Amino acid sequence: SSELTQDPAVSVALGQTVRITCQGDSLRSYYASWYQQKPGQAPVLVIYGKNNRPSGIPDRFSGSSSGNTASLTITGAQAEDEADYYCNSRDSSGSRVFGGGTKLTVL
Amino acid sequence: QVQLVQSGAEVKKPGASVKVSCKASGYTFTGYYMHWVRQAPGQGLEWMGWINPNSGGTNYAQKFQGRVTMTRDTSISTAYMELSRLRSDDTAVYYCARFLSSSWYGDWFDPWGQGTLVTVSS
């Protein structure tokens, strides 16, 4: 069983704001990183650290953290943002663990 | 540009072994750990372990210990993941991913290889 918990599915209207969350005890001490995965493609890093975007990731993607919860926010969701999103962090033993993933639907 | 290119799809019989390669370019191969992650059809991402390309040191997820071996060849900037005693539930896409770590920014995977589909079927 995963030590990072994500909602399996979230939907958002085109142009609206959506928050995808990731819960786990390790997040009280360590940052999460976030990955976007579209069908048939490899995951792509979208957020790391406190709130850092790699080059090429639109600024509508942002990250935040509070207590045991990390969040990925998309402000003004676009059709191309429809994808699966995964969080990752350390687990209690120091190894890596992924959340179960959240399927984002843009309506 | 930083790139990871993996070997092609494999079809294996139960009980066999598979070895997937991951060739790195655009950066110093020995400067970053390489992790392996797999994804079964329709499922989420599952972390398998890492290799330190500089020392060859490894750390495997408990689930795969005894069945997985991660190695590297620094002369050709290539990491390998070998999984033995394959079962049907090992059917998955296997990814390599470069791992970056910073005391200020935390840690993350970037980039990822394109993935290698391993199908285990009799």
Side-chain angles (χ1 to χ4, degrees):
Chain A
S1 63
S2 173
E3 295 183 33
L4 295 179
T5 302
Q6 297 182 240
D7 291 329
V10 171
S11 62
V12 61
L14 184 67
Q16 296 304 300
T17 297
V18 63
R19 176 173 292 181
I20 298 169
T21 61
C22 173
Q23 290 187 302
D25 286 343
S26 65
L27 299 179
R28 296 184 184 278
S29 304
Y30 302 106
Y31 290 123
S33 53
W34 290 92
Y35 303 87
Q36 176 192 69
Q37 186 180 35
K38 296 181 179 179
Q41 298 183 19
V44 173
L45 175 71
V46 293
I47 290 289
Y48 65 97
K50 189 174 183 179
N51 180 20
N52 301 99
R53 282 176 291 106
S55 173
I57 301 300
D59 60 6
R60 63 179 178 270
F61 289 88
S62 63
S64 62
S65 184
S66 178
N68 72 336
T69 301
S71 300
L72 172 69
T73 300
I74 307 174
T75 303
Q78 301 300 303
E80 61 263 33
D81 300 334
E82 187 162 291
D84 294 328
Y85 291 86
Y86 295 91
C87 59
N88 177 268
S89 187
R90 302 184 185 201
D91 68 8
S92 54
S93 69
S95 297
R96 311 302 302 185
V97 64
F98 288 92
T102 297
K103 182 178 182 60
L104 176 66
T105 300
V106 179
L107 304 172
Chain B
Q1 74 283 19
V2 177
Q3 195 173 12
L4 301 175
V5 177
Q6 298 183 220
S7 49
E10 302 262 13
V11 179
K12 296 291 182 181
K13 293 191 182 303
S17 298
V18 68
K19 190 171 186 177
V20 178
S21 68
C22 171
K23 183 171 177 59
S25 61
Y27 72 98
T28 302
F29 177 65
T30 53
Y32 300 86
Y33 284 32
M34 191 74 77
H35 289 233
W36 289 87
V37 176
R38 77 176 187 180
Q39 185 172 38
Q43 302 301 307
L45 301 173
E46 182 176 30
W47 179 77
M48 299 181 69
W50 56 252
I51 182 168
N52 176 348
N54 188 42
S55 67
T58 56
N59 180 37
Y60 305 139
Q62 189 169 10
K63 174 177 179 176
F64 300 103
Q65 287 193 9
R67 284 210 302 145
V68 70
T69 304
M70 296 178 188
T71 57
R72 91 293 189 213
D73 184 339
T74 57
S75 68
I76 55 171
S77 299
T78 300
Y80 302 92
M81 186 285 300
E82 183 171 20
L83 190 62
S84 63
R85 304 194 300 278
L86 290 168
R87 308 184 294 254
S88 58
D89 62 358
D90 291 318
T91 294
V93 176
Y94 290 77
Y95 295 102
C96 58
R98 186 181 69 157
F99 183 71
L100 295 92
S101 184
S102 161
S103 57
W104 186 253
Y105 295 115
D107 35 44
W108 62 99
F109 301 112
D110 185 50
W112 295 58
Q114 84 275 19
T116 296
L117 175 62
V118 175
T119 303
V120 183
S121 175
S122 55

